[in-house]
Amino acid sequence: MADLYCLRLGESMRNEFAERARSAEEGKALLVLPNTLLVDEVRQKNMLQAVNIDYLPNEILRSNGLDELRLLSRQAQEVIVGRLLEKKRSAGALRYFANISDARAFVKTMTNLIGELARADVSATDLEEALNAWSREGREGCKDKEILDVCKEYEELLALNNLYDMEGLYRLATKEASRAQSSIPWEELFFSDFYRFDRVQLELLKVLAKRCRVTVGIVGEPKKEKLYAATLGTIGD
């Protein structure tokens, strides 16, 4: 079950949610916030358990005996992407990106792109279908192919070595929470001060709403589309 509160700019359900979470049985309710600054503030002020949203997939997997997964840090992801680019450059498989493939800034940019695609729940297969439909030629087509090849090899490497980035962890937690026999450690979850959820977060929330009570406070008014355009997609979903 899920309840949604749509708020104006500057408004927050944080204090009310904190009181409701504190009144619940210990360990059965959780206040979820978008950043560590708010988490620390609530912990100090209200003396209750508040967490960052990335805590949820980790705890779901731990509660179901899946806590020995090999999770990649962002730094480790950059190392992997850098090595994939170096391998392709040495093999002569890069033309569009050949002159910048070893630059640290480019490695970070490519790693960020892979993460953004994953958080939108876009797989390498999905990307390939989109690029095929776009069907660009010449230098732009070369650019598309090189990006796709790196994304494919990154996905394959993680799957082959049983490695998970944070986006993969969300997908695995969502799959586990979907099992009727799985354990969900909370009876109620409160989400406050979010402006939007990305696709992998939203899919997890949808599954959790079937297993426990989910209450969300998000900034956005459906009647004011221009002002809240960035958040209305999440509210609609």
Side-chain angles (χ1 to χ4, degrees):
M1 181 178 182
D3 294 320
L4 177 65
Y5 294 84
C6 296
L7 310 172
R8 296 185 181 89
L9 284 171
E11 293 182 336
S12 172
M13 297 293 292
R14 185 165 65 252
N15 291 334
E16 180 177 331
F17 285 175
E19 288 301 318
R20 289 166 64 178
R22 190 183 2 227
S23 67
E25 182 181 345
E26 185 175 357
K28 295 299 183 180
L30 200 60
L31 177 60
V32 186
L33 299 165
N35 59 63
T36 54
L37 184 66
L38 290 177
V39 168
D40 291 342
E41 177 185 315
V42 168
R43 285 177 176 173
Q44 294 171 10
K45 181 179 178 181
N46 296 283
M47 300 299 289
L48 58 79
Q49 188 181 17
V51 300
N52 184 283
I53 191 170
D54 289 344
Y55 171 86
L56 299 181
N58 282 285
E59 185 61 16
I60 289 168
L61 294 173
R62 188 198 66 79
S63 298
N64 290 279
L66 299 172
D67 54 346
E68 295 185 1
L69 301 171
R70 299 169 66 190
L71 177 63
L72 292 171
S73 65
R74 178 46 63 104
Q75 183 178 12
Q77 289 176 259
E78 290 178 5
V79 169
I80 289 173
V81 171
R83 288 176 179 174
L84 288 175
L85 289 168
E86 172 59 26
K87 178 183 175 183
K88 297 183 77 62
R89 187 178 68 83
S90 298
L94 294 179
R95 288 188 297 162
Y96 188 92
F97 294 116
N99 294 330
I100 61 171
S101 61
D102 59 345
R104 184 175 180 183
F106 178 70
V107 173
K108 285 181 174 292
T109 298
M110 183 63 75
T111 306
N112 288 337
L113 174 61
I114 291 172
E116 287 297 318
L117 290 169
R119 285 195 167 269
D121 205 19
V122 176
S123 67
T125 300
D126 296 329
L127 179 61
E128 183 172 22
E129 291 177 357
L131 292 177
N132 285 341
W134 202 1
S135 191
R136 298 203 294 183
E137 298 180 352
R139 283 179 53 78
E140 296 304 312
C142 179
K143 173 185 176 182
D144 294 342
K145 182 181 184 304
E146 290 176 9
I147 290 173
L148 176 61
D149 287 345
V150 173
C151 290
K152 277 185 174 180
E153 291 187 25
Y154 176 84
E155 276 191 14
E156 291 168 359
L157 188 148
L158 264 59
L160 183 64
N161 293 278
N162 198 30
L163 296 170
Y164 291 87
D165 52 22
M166 182 53 69
E167 295 77 22
L169 208 67
Y170 267 94
R171 287 191 289 272
L172 185 61
T174 300
K175 181 179 179 181
E176 185 64 23
S178 299
R179 291 195 312 110
Q181 300 83 1
S182 65
S183 172
I184 302 298
W186 316 284
E187 294 179 356
E188 192 162 13
L189 293 169
F190 297 94
F191 294 83
S192 182
D193 293 84
F194 286 88
Y195 283 82
R196 62 181 295 274
F197 298 100
D198 60 42
R199 179 56 54 183
V200 292
Q201 292 170 340
L202 194 57
E203 291 304 312
L204 180 59
L205 261 67
K206 288 179 179 179
V207 170
L208 286 172
K210 298 176 181 178
R211 304 293 308 277
C212 65
R213 188 182 187 95
V214 170
T215 305
V216 178
I218 190 168
V219 173
E221 292 183 79
K223 293 183 179 180
K224 297 183 178 180
E225 184 174 351
K226 290 184 179 180
L227 182 59
Y228 297 105
T231 66
L232 293 184
T234 290
I235 292 172
D237 288 338

